[in-house]
Amino acid sequence: MTDRNHMSADTPTVEDPSFGATRRRTRLIAVLLIVGAALAVYHNSFSGPFIFDDVHAIVENPTIRDLRTAPFPPVGSGLTVSGRPLLNLSFAINYALGGTSVRGYHILNLALHILAGLTLFGVVRRTLEKVGRVIPNPPPVAPSVPSRRAGNNAPYPLAFAIALLWTVHPLQTESVTYIVQRAESLVALFYLLTLYAFVRGADCHVIRDNHAGRPSGPSGGCHVLSDKPVQRSSDHPRIGHISSDMPLEAPRRIWFMLSVVACLLGMASKEVMATAPLLVLLYDRTFIAGTFREAWRRRRPVYLGLASTWLLLAALVVAAGGRGHTAGFGAGMDWRAYALTQCRALLLYLKLSVWPHPLVLDYGDGVVTNVAAVLPQVLALAGLVAGTIVSLRSARWRWLGFLGCWYLAILAPTSSVLPVATQTMAEHRMYLPLAAVLTLAVVGLHALIGRRGVFVATALAVALGVLTVRRNGDYRSALAIWNDTATKCPDNARAHSALGDALLRAGRAAEAIPHYERALELKPDNGEFHGAMGNALAETGPIDEALQHLTEAVRLAPADARAHTNLGNALLKAGRLDEAIRQQREAVRLDPTSADMQFNLANSLVQTAALAEAVVHYGEALRLNPDFIEARFNLGNAQATMGRLDDAVAAYRAVLQRDPTLVAAWCNLGHALDQSGQTAEAAASFEEALRRAPDSADAREGLARLRAAPR
């Protein structure tokens, strides 16, 4: 039997050109296939609108309007961006490049997902190369180290299959297609980069040039080799002795620095990054050093650097104020009930990893209060934890224990005892933990059926990709995704309310009312649902009944600015102007950074002829949201009424620059130009309005008046 640490004279070394070329070609093919697969399965996701938390975290978020304010997201608000400056900055970059056009946001989401998939490929490939060297007598499911002979790239197909499945899996759609959940893909990318850079640093060995006395070999002297001496080949005389006691060289320091930087950026992206330093240490113990003591001895400065990033995370958590009291022990949810709910969630996530149906955008905020209701899940989870611990203690199976820790540790910040009151279960939390499940599945297939397992995994990837394309179709509109959610979770009050909102925005108020009624049936003391019902009734029925629900919404949530502004709008419709303005002023006082609140107050002031004050509030709404076309249009109307024609013309032109299809703006521009004596330009505006809407009576009358006027 040949010693695998022995290199004969005819064995190609790492520097063998044919070996390196084969590796590079294999790697390039794998990368291109992963990128191509991602583009194929997400090709229909780029037009999905802003939904759910997208509206508050992106569309109504004033801090992303300027790159200078982007690192300081709203605090104490419970928004997805709260306490996550890098996430907020990424949205600000999108806004700077394309405003609120959704396509750019989707493109960046997919780019981050692809980068995460490629980084996962690199991490898994390098890990598979280590298993046989570090684990004595590796079990059948753990691939041994590949031969150094050119063309034998055993880890590549396995790593490719794992990364491909992870990239195209439909469970990932919530983190990719639902824009605001970029938080998950962003932190996952930095999590994987932290580990990848660490692995590269740990793999760096200085190879002494016995003749020139300098490091040799590709990648600045970094090679994945044993720490034992290797036999010099007459064909490759530059291969010398490798020692783990040699001084730390520049390539290794650079990789370790990159690992710490990636960890720091991850802390600024999402709180689940807190577990990264611990998992890096566990990885080192499992696949490199062999023991925690040896890992600490060899790389103490690296671990101190990684641990120092917790300081940033702690500062961001404190600054976020408990995410507006929506997370943490002060969120108003019993931690024991939340923990029981997570027993159900963790097993559900595993099931969806294997059988991704049904996928649900929002599981609601319900909790389990009875242990008996989740006893099977509790026992199964206890078995999983016990198995993970036993595997970690076994030299033969510790790689399996690492996978268990990867799954449990990354989910721990959101799926243990620390309540997240807004969503007790969420599929996007499975984004990065899914890698552990798929790794186990692919390696298991390889152990059972050999190389055919990679082909089976690739076929599964095709099937999963088809499901991902279909799932992306559910995100084509707010109406479609909420109809899907309410159908799958009929007892989710928030889903019914959101479906009602989508119907109301689509002008189908009568169809929205039954969904609001269902939401109120499930949660009769929810002020938001009363407000939504009031808005729908204000569109369809007697205003008195609408006012009852809207007044109840204010009573239940007196600090909710939106409840006050909704009541104010209904009072305005009922002709109760003084009361309407009082409610709108209260809304602005409660939320002065909301463009909607400023806009609604301005509209109420216009009704009382307080035009000068209305102009001020329209201007504030536009400062907060420069893309607020309705506010700019109404500003132009108020300025025209006040006789400020030049300002009105400028406002209408700005509206048309953003939306040239708005016929009313062409008509009003024509009237303002006519009144200011610019008849030729006024006629051109009316003609453009008629070109776009031949039946426009306003444009036709304006043009006729101009033609009839004496010249």
Side-chain angles (χ1 to χ4, degrees):
M1 181 177 293
T2 304
D3 183 355
R4 68 181 177 195
N5 288 321
H6 176 74
M7 294 178 64
S8 63
D10 62 345
T11 301
T13 67
V14 176
E15 294 188 12
D16 189 334
S18 63
F19 180 80
T22 301
R23 288 169 65 92
R24 287 192 295 271
R25 185 167 57 251
T26 304
R27 185 164 56 242
L28 178 61
I29 292 172
V31 166
L32 291 177
L33 287 174
I34 291 170
V35 173
L39 293 173
V41 300
Y42 284 99
H43 76 277
N44 61 333
S45 69
F46 299 129
S47 60
F50 294 116
I51 57 171
F52 206 5
D53 289 340
D54 290 342
V55 177
H56 302 305
I58 301 174
V59 180
E60 298 176 356
N61 180 1
T63 65
I64 70 168
R65 312 294 179 213
D66 191 323
L67 291 175
R68 292 170 297 183
T69 61
F72 309 99
V75 298
S77 59
L79 296 180
T80 307
V81 294
S82 181
R84 300 166 181 174
L86 193 60
L87 174 65
N88 204 55
L89 178 61
S90 75
F91 290 137
I93 292 172
N94 273 129
Y95 186 85
L97 294 175
T100 54
S101 173
V102 294
R103 188 174 185 83
Y105 294 84
H106 284 296
I107 290 174
L108 183 52
N109 272 27
L110 181 56
L112 291 170
H113 179 56
I114 291 173
L115 289 173
L118 295 178
T119 308
L120 177 64
F121 169 68
V123 169
V124 174
R125 177 181 65 82
R126 289 179 175 274
T127 303
L128 290 174
E129 289 176 340
K130 299 175 185 301
V131 174
R133 287 204 311 274
V134 178
I135 300 177
N137 188 23
V141 293
S144 59
V145 178
S147 166
R148 297 185 187 277
R149 293 188 179 279
N152 189 349
N153 295 309
Y156 278 86
L158 293 177
F160 164 72
I162 292 166
L164 180 65
L165 284 167
W166 185 85
T167 302
V168 304
H169 200 289
L171 191 55
Q172 308 291 55
T173 51
E174 187 172 310
S175 300
V176 182
T177 311
Y178 177 20
I179 295 173
V180 82
Q181 286 310 328
R182 175 184 300 175
E184 210 68 56
S185 56
L186 190 64
V187 74
L189 174 60
F190 289 121
Y191 208 118
L192 291 166
L193 284 173
T194 299
L195 184 56
Y196 179 79
F198 175 85
V199 173
R200 291 297 302 267
D203 280 348
C204 279
H205 297 277
V206 181
I207 300 181
R208 299 288 186 183
D209 188 325
N210 294 325
H211 299 284
R214 62 180 183 274
S216 65
S219 304
C222 293
H223 298 276
V224 184
L225 294 174
S226 168
D227 282 351
K228 297 181 179 180
V230 296
Q231 178 177 326
R232 291 178 59 187
S233 167
S234 58
D235 295 330
H236 301 279
R238 296 178 66 192
I239 298 297
H241 184 79
I242 303 168
S243 172
S244 61
D245 296 327
M246 289 183 178
L248 198 66
E249 296 292 328
R252 178 182 290 196
R253 287 199 299 268
I254 291 172
W255 281 114
F256 285 149
M257 288 174 60
L258 289 174
S259 180
V260 174
V261 170
C263 193
L264 190 71
L265 293 173
M267 297 294 180
S269 302
K270 194 174 182 181
E271 297 78 3
V272 297
M273 193 71 189
T275 60
L278 299 176
L279 275 180
V280 169
L281 176 60
L282 182 61
Y283 182 97
D284 195 350
R285 177 261 188 187
T286 304
F287 299 108
I288 303 175
T291 65
F292 287 119
R293 177 178 297 180
E294 184 65 14
W296 178 256
R297 185 188 70 80
R298 292 186 186 182
R299 286 172 276 276
R300 182 185 299 109
V302 181
Y303 291 116
L304 291 176
L306 292 172
S308 70
T309 64
W310 283 328
L311 297 175
L312 173 62
L313 179 62
L316 292 173
V317 169
V318 171
R323 306 192 58 75
H325 304 292
T326 63
F329 295 112
M333 179 176 288
D334 182 71
W335 67 269
R336 290 160 296 192
Y338 187 82
L340 289 176
T341 307
Q342 297 320 297
C343 293
R344 171 179 290 172
L346 289 168
L347 272 296
L348 173 65
Y349 299 154
L350 286 176
K351 176 260 181 186
L352 291 175
S353 301
V354 178
W355 186 260
H357 180 81
L359 296 178
V360 177
L361 172 66
D362 178 25
Y363 287 90
D365 54 7
V367 293
V368 176
T369 57
N370 186 357
V371 177
V374 290
L375 185 58
Q377 291 94 328
V378 170
L379 295 175
L381 185 58
L384 176 60
V385 173
T388 297
I389 295 173
V390 170
S391 298
L392 284 173
R393 295 173 62 87
S394 167
R396 180 178 169 85
W397 297 100
R398 63 190 182 208
W399 65 274
L400 190 58
F402 178 81
L403 292 181
C405 283
W406 181 273
Y407 176 77
L408 295 170
I410 295 176
L411 283 169
T414 56
S415 303
S416 54
V417 297
L418 191 67
V420 181
T422 51
Q423 279 188 299
T424 53
M425 296 193 295
E427 291 168 4
H428 61 259
R429 295 172 188 166
M430 193 59 186
Y431 183 78
L432 192 52
L434 179 64
V437 181
L438 296 177
T439 298
L440 180 60
V442 172
V443 172
L445 274 174
H446 178 71
L448 291 173
I449 58 178
R451 293 183 178 180
R452 289 174 297 173
V454 174
F455 295 104
V456 172
T458 304
L460 287 174
V462 173
L464 291 172
V466 172
L467 295 178
T468 296
V469 173
R470 293 181 60 182
R471 180 58 176 166
N472 284 330
D474 293 332
Y475 285 90
R476 66 187 180 277
S477 69
L479 187 58
I481 191 62
W482 285 118
N483 184 61
D484 175 81
T485 305
T487 300
K488 293 172 179 175
C489 295
D491 293 334
N492 184 344
R494 187 164 56 205
H496 284 284
S497 179
L499 177 55
D501 291 344
L503 289 165
L504 189 61
R505 286 192 296 270
R508 298 158 61 179
E511 297 176 59
I513 289 175
H515 292 286
Y516 291 137
E517 289 175 341
R518 176 58 178 159
L520 285 170
E521 179 185 340
L522 293 165
K523 291 195 172 183
D525 294 331
N526 187 290
E528 181 182 346
F529 299 162
H530 277 286
M533 172 66 92
N535 289 339
L537 290 172
E539 296 287 334
T540 62
I543 197 67
D544 290 342
E545 187 178 355
L547 287 172
Q548 290 176 9
H549 282 281
L550 293 167
T551 302
E552 181 67 4
V554 170
R555 187 189 70 80
L556 290 168
D560 185 354
R562 197 166 296 276
H564 287 278
T565 199
N566 288 339
L567 177 57
N569 289 339
L571 289 168
L572 188 66
K573 184 174 291 189
R576 296 158 61 175
L577 301 184
D578 292 341
E579 296 176 71
I581 291 175
R582 187 161 56 249
Q583 292 296 330
Q584 301 292 8
R585 289 192 190 281
E586 179 64 10
V588 169
R589 185 189 70 80
L590 290 168
D591 190 0
T593 64
S594 170
D596 285 342
M597 307 306 149
Q598 301 283 352
F599 175 72
N600 289 336
L601 174 56
N603 288 343
S604 298
L605 290 167
V606 166
Q607 296 298 313
T608 62
L611 297 178
E613 188 180 358
V615 165
V616 171
H617 288 285
Y618 282 133
E620 183 64 12
L622 289 169
R623 185 188 69 79
L624 293 166
N625 183 4
D627 292 329
F628 201 157
I629 291 179
E630 294 86 349
R632 199 172 296 277
F633 180 72
N634 285 6
L635 172 63
N637 292 342
Q639 290 169 331
T641 303
M642 296 171 68
R644 294 167 51 180
L645 297 177
D646 290 343
D647 291 337
V649 167
Y652 293 137
R653 290 194 189 281
V655 168
L656 292 168
Q657 185 177 5
R658 288 171 169 78
D659 185 4
T661 67
L662 194 59
V663 173
W666 285 109
C667 292
N668 287 8
L669 174 61
H671 292 306
L673 290 168
D674 181 19
Q675 293 177 47
S676 62
Q678 303 176 61
T679 55
E681 293 186 40
S685 295
F686 288 129
E687 288 171 353
E688 181 63 22
L690 285 172
R691 187 183 72 79
R692 295 179 178 277
D695 296 332
S696 172
D698 190 11
R700 195 174 300 280
E701 291 172 6
L703 190 59
R705 185 177 63 254
L706 285 174
R707 289 172 176 171
R711 297 180 180 273

